[in-house]
Amino acid sequence: MSVVRIEHVSREYRLGEQTVRALDDVSLQVENGVFLAIAGPSGSGKSTLLNLIGCIDTPSSGRVLIDGKDTSGSTPDQLAELRARSIGFIFQTFNLLPVLSAEENVEYPLLQFAELSRGERRERVAHFLDVVQLSRQARHRPNELSGGQRQRVAIARALATHPRIILADEPTANLDSRTGRGILELMKDINRSFNTTFVFSTHDKKVIAKADRLVRIEDGRIRSLGMKTDSNWVVVNDRRKEKGAHETS
C-alpha cells in the first residue's frame, strides 16, 4: 500500500498581479519503506511538493492522500492532527528550541499525545536518543552541540512520534561533507531497521546516491521517475522523452 498518493495536483500562488504555477498536474505514489529523493533545481517545485505531502500546504486542485486518508477538505486542526501522528519533519536548519535540552526537544511533540504517560514519553525519548547515538548528550542544549549532533536530535524528534513517513528538506545543506555523510548513513540505517519511509527534497548528489527511488522535477512537473536495482538506476517513467516526442511530432 502506498503511504502517499498525489493525484493530478496543481498548486498556484498569487505574486502581485501574476499567477505562478508552482506545480502542474503532478501525480505520484510513495510506497511504504522507500528512501526517496525529490531532485530538481531551485524553483522547480520540489519544496512545494514536500510541503503538500507534509500537509503544511494544500493544493489548488487535485488530491493528496496520506496513509489512505484523503486530506481534501480537512480543517487546519485535522491537518495538524494528521501531521502530529503520521508525519515527521527534519529541517535544513534543525529547528530545535534553544531553551530546551536535547531530551526535552525530542519529548516536545509527544506532549500533545494525551494517551502517553510521562514515563512512556521518557522511555521513547531515551530509546530514540540511543538510536541516534546521543544518549550522553541528552541534557545538552543546542548551543552545546555540533551541527551534526543537532541534526541527530532533530532525527530523534521526528522518530519519537512513530510517524508513517519522515520528510527531510535539504537535511545535509548546513553540514560539512563528512558530517553530512554520517547523517545520511544514520537515516539509511533507520530506514532499513524500522522500515520508515523517507522523502527528501534535495539537489545533493550524496542524498541521491543513497536513495532507492528518485523523482526528478522541473518547472513544476515530474520529468522522470527512477528506481535503483542493485547499484544501477532504472528509469521507469521518463516524461522528458514524451515531451520531446510531442515537440518533434
Side-chain angles (χ1 to χ4, degrees):
M1 178 180 174
S2 300
V3 67
V4 175
R5 275 172 49 206
I6 307 290
E7 297 180 351
H8 301 289
V9 160
S10 294
R11 184 64 173 103
E12 296 178 345
Y13 299 97
R14 292 290 297 175
L15 188 62
E17 296 184 359
Q18 292 185 323
T19 298
V20 177
R21 177 162 283 199
L23 291 176
D24 185 9
D25 193 27
V26 168
S27 294
L28 177 68
Q29 293 193 47
V30 180
E31 302 163 5
N32 187 47
V34 300
F35 205 72
L36 182 148
I38 301 171
S42 296
S44 61
K46 60 184 185 297
S47 292
T48 300
L49 181 55
L50 204 71
N51 287 340
L52 290 172
I53 295 172
C55 300
I56 295 171
D57 197 3
T58 55
S60 303
S61 61
R63 298 201 306 164
V64 178
L65 293 92
I66 305 297
D67 205 18
K69 178 178 174 56
D70 187 354
T71 63
S72 303
S74 296
T75 67
D77 285 346
Q78 289 169 334
L79 291 175
E81 177 74 7
L82 181 62
R83 285 194 301 270
R85 295 189 176 272
S86 298
I87 305 168
F89 295 89
I90 301 171
F91 301 96
Q92 176 178 335
T93 53
F94 320 131
N95 284 20
L96 301 179
L97 295 171
V99 298
L100 300 183
S101 66
E103 62 184 0
E104 289 168 337
N105 267 284
V106 176
E107 184 183 18
Y108 188 76
L110 301 178
L111 296 175
Q112 60 192 308
F113 292 3
E115 70 274 16
L116 291 180
S117 68
R118 185 173 184 273
E120 288 170 327
R121 292 198 309 268
R122 289 303 177 92
E123 186 176 340
R124 277 202 201 184
V125 169
H127 171 68
F128 286 112
L129 281 176
D130 182 59
V131 167
V132 300
Q133 302 167 20
L134 277 184
S135 296
R136 292 184 178 180
Q137 290 81 16
R139 297 189 178 181
H140 291 198
R141 289 187 178 183
N143 64 358
E144 300 173 305
L145 301 171
S146 68
Q149 288 173 330
R150 292 179 197 180
Q151 197 61 294
R152 286 172 184 263
V153 174
I155 293 169
R157 179 183 58 189
L159 289 168
T161 59
H162 293 172
R164 294 282 285 127
I165 182 170
I166 290 181
L167 305 180
D169 189 4
E170 298 284 5
T172 59
N174 285 347
L175 304 174
D176 63 73
S177 58
R178 180 179 178 183
T179 302
R181 282 194 298 271
I183 291 295
L184 283 173
E185 288 288 353
L186 172 63
M187 289 190 283
K188 188 66 176 180
D189 288 345
I190 291 167
N191 167 251
R192 293 183 182 127
S193 300
F194 297 99
N195 200 38
T196 302
T197 305
F198 279 82
V199 177
F200 297 84
S201 167
T202 189
H203 57 258
D204 188 338
K205 292 180 180 179
K206 297 188 294 296
V207 176
I208 295 170
K210 285 290 181 186
D212 53 37
R213 299 289 189 278
L214 176 62
V215 175
R216 289 201 178 274
I217 188 168
E218 296 174 14
D219 300 323
R221 307 198 75 175
I222 292 177
R223 298 305 183 189
S224 65
L225 304 173
M227 179 184 300
K228 187 175 286 183
T229 57
D230 297 323
S231 299
N232 300 314
W233 283 105
V234 175
V235 178
V236 294
N237 190 347
D238 192 341
R239 299 175 191 179
R240 293 169 296 185
K241 292 181 180 179
E242 294 174 13
K243 179 184 177 184
H246 291 316
E247 288 175 346
T248 57
S249 61

